[in-house]
Amino acid sequence: MSFPPSATPLDDVQRVLCVFAHPDDIDFGAAGTVARWVDAGLEVAYLLVTRGDAGGFDDTPREQMPILRESEQRAAAAAVGVKQVEFLDGYRDGILTPSIGLRRDITAAIRRFRPDRVLTNSPLRRWDRIAGPSHPDHLAAGEATTCAVYPDARNPFTFTDIGLEPWTVREIWYSGGPAPDHLVDVTDTFPRKLAALRAHVSQTSHLTDLDATIEARLAMVAAAGGLPAGRLAESFSVFSTA
């Protein structure tokens, strides 16, 4: 299963909420694009479902990992100009499900921030890249966010106990899904994407070729999408929620 062709992105977006499963998900998939949005004057906020407690590649004590990764994500957000970063409580890295409770919490965040656009993990698995984009937590976060966008956040009779007015998100972008066909040229913001990724020291410090690997990957995306040689791009699937 894949997504249908992307819609033309809205041209009057003012606020974007990025909802992802783990610290570093946004930065691997979309930090260059987020930096472009910030440069264009959009107000961008992050909502992380977990604190990445199951991550890391060394002997850091497990009880320290969530604290460390929250700090890393805040530093990464600052590298691309994002000031508002929130974390949900009560969700563990590695065992995430698209539960009613998670839908409720994401709905509350949407109703508070009132975004025109939501960017999130893809709820569809990529069979060509099981590792990374198709992590079960990513799929769960994408599914729960999709349900929160429609119908939960806009329905005045859903989650009435949270005391927030309904809000309709007009557009949703998916990162990491199968056959993404909307490209964003991030050549000019690539240095800030790298800075954001380097901020995730617990996840990237063991990678000796991080810069070259990421640059090669984005160059391949750009070339496949028909951009001129030397350009770098991130790719998404984009849909209207009307």
Side-chain angles (χ1 to χ4, degrees), residues 141-179:
E143 178 63 24
T145 301
T146 302
C147 293
V149 167
Y150 178 81
D152 298 341
R154 69 179 64 183
N155 187 343
F157 307 110
T158 300
F159 302 130
T160 56
D161 59 312
I162 62 179
L164 296 165
E165 291 298 313
W167 179 257
T168 298
V169 176
R170 295 186 291 138
E171 184 178 83
I172 189 164
W173 289 41
Y174 293 113
S175 175

Side-chain angles (χ1 to χ4, degrees), residues 58-225:
D58 57 21
D59 57 358
T60 300
R62 283 294 100 188
E63 67 273 13
Q64 292 299 313
M65 189 57 69
I67 301 168
L68 177 61
R69 295 199 68 186
E70 177 174 341
S71 176
E72 290 174 347
Q73 182 60 84
R74 294 187 185 281
V80 295
V82 172
K83 299 177 181 178
Q84 181 174 332
V85 182
E86 295 183 1
F87 289 80
L88 295 180
D89 293 320
Y91 299 100
R92 296 290 304 277
D93 181 2
I95 56 173
L96 196 62
T97 64
S99 64
I100 298 300
L102 180 55
R103 286 169 53 180
R104 180 184 184 278
D105 287 343
I106 297 172
T107 292
I110 289 172
R111 289 179 179 176
R112 283 195 306 271
F113 188 65
R114 303 169 79 81
D116 305 297
R117 171 183 294 157
V118 163
L119 167 65
T120 190
N121 296 110
S122 168
L124 297 185
R125 186 181 299 279
R126 281 186 61 171
W127 292 107
D128 61 324
R129 285 186 64 192
I130 291 293
S134 295
H135 190 295
D137 285 359
H138 297 178
L139 305 180
E143 178 63 24
T145 301
T146 302
C147 293
V149 167
Y150 178 81
D152 298 341
R154 69 179 64 183
N155 187 343
F157 307 110
T158 300
F159 302 130
T160 56
D161 59 312
I162 62 179
L164 296 165
E165 291 298 313
W167 179 257
T168 298
V169 176
R170 295 186 291 138
E171 184 178 83
I172 189 164
W173 289 41
Y174 293 113
S175 175
D181 62 350
H182 178 73
L183 270 62
V184 177
D185 188 324
V186 297
T187 310
D188 295 341
T189 56
F190 180 64
R192 287 152 68 193
K193 178 183 178 76
L194 285 180
L197 286 170
R198 290 193 201 101
H200 296 283
V201 176
S202 66
Q203 310 305 301
T204 63
S205 62
H206 68 291
L207 301 173
T208 57
D209 58 349
L210 175 67
D211 294 15
T213 298
I214 299 300
E215 184 172 6
R217 184 181 300 169
L218 299 188
M220 200 158 53
V221 170

